[in-house]
Amino acid sequence: MSFGRILSVDLTRGTFEFSTLPRAFVEDFIGGSSLAARMMWDVLDPQRDPFHPDNPLIFITGPMTGTGGPTTGRFTICGRSPQTGLWGEANIGGFVGPELRQAGVDVLWITGRAEEPVYLLIREGEVSLRPAGHLWGKADTYQTQVIVKEEIGEPRARVACIGAAGENKVPMAGILADHGRLAARTGLGALMGSKNLKAVAVRGTGQIPLARADDYRKLRVAVNKNLLEQNLTAVLKATGTSGAAEYLQFMGDMPQRYWTAATFEGAANISGSTMAETILTGTKACQGCVISCGREVVISQGPYATQGKVKGPEYETICAFGSQLLVDDLAAITALGERCDRLGLDTISAGNTLALAYLLFDQGIISEKDTGGLALHWGDPTPCFVLLDQMAQREGFGELLAQGSQAVAAHFGVPDLAVVVNGLEVPMHDPRAFSGQTLSYLTSPRGACHNQSDFFQVEMGGTLEEIGITLPERFRDEGKARLVARHQHWRTVCNSLVMCYFAVVSPSAVCELLNAALGVDWDVETMLLAGERGWNMKRMINLRLGLKPEREKLPRLLVQPLPEGGQQGYVPNVEVLLDEYYTASGWDRATGWPTEQKIRALGLDFVL
């Protein structure tokens, strides 16, 4: 088969081994996070702490990674989350995934713990460990990439690395590569840090195998050509992911003032359109991508002036350090996003946690005695720079903030103020604007997440009628669960390939590409069944790790109506949504497990 080569690295012993996945694993789960979940099942020990050396850190690609499109420069990093204790998964773009495949590696399976800090070098199939003590505690994520490339004499190598947050095992630490591409969510940077692994450097020039290469190339060209002609591609290229900020604000989707307000007058000042008109100097794309949603900006003057180009903030970041803090200074938000990237912090979790601290300060629950002398006032971003550094170093007030929103709220006796689901901070799409997004958050295998199903896009008109996903009314609870479940299975296919969500490609076209890449002859329903299989695999891993159905609930702030703004006072009816969802999914409402009938129908009998 054209996909399935594993490199296993044991950092404790310093050993390396190549092997090949069983063909059935790939045919049942395709690749990406679904395949990682299937591999994890066989070694999962719920009694082990997430930082136990035997727990794997998995870099995993898909059968379309690095093939030139559509939007397939991505790969996934998986493991047991130090942040939630559940399934951990973070999708990342750039060039590392394609480079892994060109070096002959589809799956990088890392276990053990090195005695001293090291980095891993994979060069044209040759593997070695090199000392990284001179980088540990000294080099940020951008500096690390430069130094490692110089040391190995490979300026075209690709490097994925951790910053101070990962080194100090901060639960919201991510893994950064290329121009600010971050595998941010669920704390997998902390898992990497627990293994004393500072970086993974990859250089490969080999050909990526495709079962029917000529067919694939013809299909890829046609799909990319179609993408270039789409309006969404033009908008993303011109304004990036934050280009929709003003519209999402109008709809009530863009959170503000830590989820307690429905309007923010400064939204226009921090949008992608304003960025394009003021500080944007160029765009960046992942390998083979025709969309180029990445931003390059220059701040020419003021306290946040840059020395040359830096990464412009994406939508989640302009909310995290903008609307959530009532900050309308795009330069400050850019600088805070840059600080997070260099430290290796997830901007969603870090920004949400800081916004909670601002709310607690505003309500008089905490004071400058708690914050180390810092006054946290809405609209003032200045204290965030100090607090982000403290979080990454686990010092001062930052030691508590580093534990995340749930720990902060519990520490100050207001646990119901933490806006989290299953321990993970809610991303910047308010479920009071789109009821289907409620189910996406409640049932996501990694805690609150919009990258297991961005169903809010469907509720704004991004339907997939080819597979029965029609346009629902956004404030309607009844009859929506079946559509959400179907969408989750589709997105699980995307996460298995691994393909970016911004590529508006029909399921039938994706199926044709998959067939050509793997050499199979599937129809769309067979492909979606593989997505459903992967979705249920992750579900059962979480249940083994202690997930209970009673934890599937929205936090208190998200069930309080906000009459003003685009939400129109709507609050999701969680019980109605979940009852219908469990029925549609074939899950038992009492235990949360898929029924035996569902398990057998998916060909997952081995879990029984």
Side-chain angles (χ1 to χ4, degrees), residues 27-41:
E27 291 184 343
D28 285 347
F29 296 92
I30 303 176
S33 57
S34 293
L35 182 56
R38 174 63 187 93
M39 295 172 69
M40 177 83 88
W41 179 269

Side-chain angles (χ1 to χ4, degrees), residues 29-31 62-65 67 69-72 210 212 215-224 226-227 230 464 466-467 487 489-531:
F29 296 92
I30 303 176
M64 287 164 55
T65 298
T67 60
T71 62
T72 52
L210 293 163
R212 297 194 286 266
D215 291 345
Y216 189 92
R217 292 188 188 99
K218 291 175 184 175
L219 291 164
R220 179 195 65 203
V221 168
V223 169
N224 278 334
N226 179 263
L227 278 177
Q230 292 177 12
L464 290 159
E466 179 188 354
I467 56 174
H487 193 255
H489 303 158
W490 162 241
R491 285 313 194 193
T492 304
V493 169
C494 297
N495 291 341
S496 301
L497 288 172
V498 181
M499 190 176 82
C500 178
Y501 288 6
F502 294 152
V504 182
V505 183
S506 71
S508 57
V510 170
C511 190
E512 288 187 74
L513 286 160
L514 173 60
N515 285 338
L518 281 183
V520 294
D521 189 22
W522 290 0
D523 58 20
V524 170
E525 286 304 317
T526 303
M527 180 180 71
L528 288 170
L529 186 66

Side-chain angles (χ1 to χ4, degrees), residues 443-454:
T443 61
S444 159
R446 68 175 192 176
C449 173
H450 66 300
N451 282 332
Q452 302 290 321
S453 167
D454 52 335

Side-chain angles (χ1 to χ4, degrees), residues 384-398:
C384 294
F385 291 94
V386 175
L387 293 174
L388 288 173
D389 287 343
Q390 288 184 355
M391 290 165 71
Q393 299 295 341
R394 304 189 78 146
E395 298 173 346
F397 187 41

Side-chain angles (χ1 to χ4, degrees), residues 119 121 123 130 147-155 157 159 201-203:
Y119 65 84
L121 173 60
R123 178 159 40 192
R130 298 201 172 190
I147 293 170
V148 168
K149 289 178 184 181
E150 290 175 350
E151 287 184 357
I152 66 176
E154 291 280 6
V159 181
V202 190
R203 179 63 180 138

Side-chain angles (χ1 to χ4, degrees), residues 423-447:
L424 189 65
E425 282 79 11
V426 174
M428 306 303 171
H429 297 281
D430 196 316
R432 290 169 292 189
F434 302 103
S435 67
Q437 201 58 35
T438 300
L439 280 175
S440 294
Y441 292 159
L442 297 181
T443 61
S444 159
R446 68 175 192 176

Side-chain angles (χ1 to χ4, degrees), residues 150-182:
E150 290 175 350
E151 287 184 357
I152 66 176
E154 291 280 6
R156 298 185 67 181
R158 301 295 175 176
V159 181
C161 61
I162 57 173
E167 293 172 355
N168 293 311
K169 295 187 281 192
V170 172
M172 61 180 75
I175 300 168
L176 185 133
D178 299 309
H179 186 76
R181 300 291 179 180
L182 194 71

Side-chain angles (χ1 to χ4, degrees), residues 114 116-121 128-136 147-148 151-152 196 198-199:
E116 301 292 338
V118 296
Y119 65 84
L120 175 68
L121 173 60
S128 61
L129 289 171
R130 298 201 172 190
H134 59 300
L135 301 172
W136 201 268
I147 293 170
V148 168
E151 287 184 357
I152 66 176
N196 270 338
K198 176 66 174 176

